[in-house]
Amino acid sequence: MTADRLTILHVYPRQMGVSGDRGNVAALVRRAAAADIDTEVLEYAPGDALPETADIVVIGNGPLSAMRSLGADVTRIGSPLREFAAAGVPVVAVGGGFDLAANEVVPTDGAAVTGFGVFDARAIRGAERRVNYFVLDTAYPLLPGAPTRLAGFEDHATKIELGAGVRPFADVVSGGGNQAGSPVEGAIAGNSFGTHTQGPILPLNPQLTDGVLAAATARLGRAYAPDPERTATIDRYAREARATVDRYVDKAFKRIA
């Protein structure tokens, strides 16, 4: 971050951006603006020089075919992404991006795909397919007094095996989650989180966007305080969308054979 700008690094927006994932970036930009924080969005494509610094990293959803096509580039940038996360830079990894940010993705056939290793976890394909509205109670640090209940949508057939001591992103209120025994979802590593919650997750859950921005700015010695008057409209849209999820959560598909 420069003296007056927060850098958001969007990794593989073309290959891993099939579920409206630019909405997560847009939510961070707009929410930061409401706190008088300017932002710069940098998009990283395979083969590019990875920026030496970033304040937030976003990795979106994408299919296994895209992950395989990225090949050696994932290995090439895995170490610096892990260094970002270890330094406290929030890495927001959603859907297939969460799988790719794990140690490896194990398909139903063919060789495993090496991941970034931001999260000590394995993403194993071939689990029961879960397609439903998703309601969670997150463990990710939020601003004081912010509600921990999140809403979104999940559509995946992946089991997430967390490494020893890895903290889940959330408890599952309604939905499938990691499908590895306990009713939990995703993973947390420092200020970073991975989840299969789509929607996209940040516009639907402004309190989570605030949590990410607070973590990003705190490590740089700057306070984060969005102006409620400037966020009133997007907060209302998010409340209405979450109310729809709550209304139909028990009527959605729960699984697909």
Side-chain angles (χ1 to χ4, degrees):
M1 181 179 181
T2 63
D4 58 356
R5 182 169 296 179
L6 196 73
T7 300
I8 301 170
L9 175 61
H10 191 180
V11 175
Y12 302 143
R14 287 194 61 189
Q15 294 84 0
M16 306 296 291
V18 302
S19 299
D21 300 296
R22 290 182 188 274
N24 289 320
V25 175
L28 290 164
V29 170
R30 184 162 181 179
R31 204 81 181 173
D36 293 320
I37 298 172
D38 291 334
T39 53
E40 177 184 21
V41 177
L42 302 179
E43 295 189 349
Y44 172 82
D48 287 353
L50 192 75
E52 294 184 0
T53 61
D55 301 306
I56 299 173
V57 177
V58 176
I59 311 168
N61 187 33
L64 181 62
S65 58
M67 299 181 206
R68 283 174 164 157
S69 74
L70 294 166
D73 197 76
V74 173
T75 303
R76 183 175 71 87
I77 68 170
S79 179
L81 288 183
R82 291 193 297 273
E83 291 174 4
F84 283 157
V89 173
V91 176
V92 177
V94 178
F98 173 33
D99 297 349
L100 193 61
N103 294 327
E104 64 175 356
V105 183
V106 182
T108 56
D109 56 70
V113 176
T114 300
F116 293 129
V118 171
F119 304 101
D120 182 14
R122 297 170 75 226
I124 303 173
R125 297 298 179 94
E128 180 181 68
R129 188 162 200 90
R130 302 291 303 203
V131 181
N132 38 245
Y133 290 115
F134 210 12
V135 181
L136 306 170
D137 189 12
T138 187
Y140 190 81
L142 306 177
L143 295 180
T148 59
R149 184 63 57 90
L150 306 178
F153 189 83
E154 66 172 339
D155 179 1
H156 68 97
T158 302
K159 178 174 72 171
I160 298 294
E161 292 184 347
L162 301 179
V166 176
R167 189 181 185 191
F169 171 65
D171 292 325
V172 174
V173 177
S174 181
N178 287 351
Q179 302 197 84
S182 301
V184 297
E185 162 61 14
I188 293 175
N191 290 331
S192 302
F193 71 83
T195 179
H196 282 114
T197 313
Q198 301 170 32
I201 186 173
L202 294 186
L204 275 172
N205 301 279
Q207 75 273 36
L208 183 58
T209 312
D210 286 341
V212 172
L213 287 166
T217 53
R219 65 179 290 272
L220 300 168
R222 179 166 180 176
Y224 171 74
D227 181 351
E229 291 188 2
R230 294 163 67 184
T231 63
T233 299
I234 54 177
D235 287 350
R236 176 171 57 83
Y237 290 156
R239 283 195 304 272
E240 292 172 353
R242 293 196 306 273
T244 298
V245 172
D246 289 340
R247 187 159 55 247
Y248 292 106
V249 67
D250 292 329
K251 299 179 177 62
F253 290 113
K254 297 300 179 185
R255 57 186 61 84
I256 294 179

